[in-house]
Amino acid sequence: QLQLVESGGGLVQPGGSLRLSCIVSGTTLDYYAIGWFRQAPGKEREGVSCISSSDGSTVYADSVKGRFTISRDNAKNTVYLHMNSLKPEDTAVYYCAADQIYCSGYVFSFPWDYWGQGTQVTVSS
């Protein structure tokens, strides 16, 4: 069964950087798109970024465009979220998710099948 494990979260000062990892097991990453989502206390979960399996196409939420970069290493079955210029409003639990879909405009509204347990990111001075 497909499983996802996130890591790399932590406490960082505003303007700093973090790299989150999502390790996939139980299947090959070749057939799955991976999405990153986040949920802050008292707020709904929101989509952050997505990377397709077929052509590596990516989608980003407007709030992170130009600051976050998603990448995948199929050989390591791992997807990364590189987060730069972090802001306090980026504080949230970050989750990765997997499904056999294509990353396009409405991908974050899709009912993704598989989810990780989340990793906390706190941006504070």
Side-chain angles (χ1 to χ4, degrees):
Q1 181 171 347
L2 193 156
Q3 293 184 320
L4 305 99
V5 177
E6 304 94 336
S7 63
L11 173 64
V12 63
Q13 291 187 342
S17 299
L18 281 176
R19 186 185 75 168
L20 304 184
S21 300
C22 174
I23 300 175
V24 179
S25 62
T27 188
T28 176
L29 195 54
D30 294 349
Y31 305 117
Y32 287 84
I34 300 296
W36 282 98
F37 295 78
R38 66 186 182 186
Q39 188 165 21
K43 294 187 176 181
E44 292 188 355
R45 186 177 63 201
E46 63 172 344
V48 175
S49 186
C50 176
I51 186 165
S52 299
S53 59
S54 55
D55 59 6
S57 63
T58 57
V59 173
Y60 294 93
D62 288 343
S63 59
V64 306
K65 279 181 183 176
R67 301 188 298 121
F68 290 12
T69 303
I70 191 170
S71 63
R72 63 193 296 151
D73 184 339
N74 285 9
K76 294 183 178 180
N77 254 25
T78 301
V79 171
Y80 303 100
L81 185 67
H82 306 262
M83 306 186 295
N84 297 318
S85 301
L86 283 161
K87 305 175 182 179
E89 51 264 44
D90 294 317
T91 296
V93 177
Y94 283 71
Y95 301 89
C96 61
D99 211 316
Q100 292 180 308
I101 57 176
Y102 186 77
C103 297
S104 60
Y106 294 97
V107 68
F108 297 133
S109 300
F110 188 81
W112 292 67
D113 272 346
Y114 302 98
W115 291 84
Q117 83 290 347
T119 185
Q120 175 71 46
V121 171
T122 302
V123 184
S124 175
S125 55

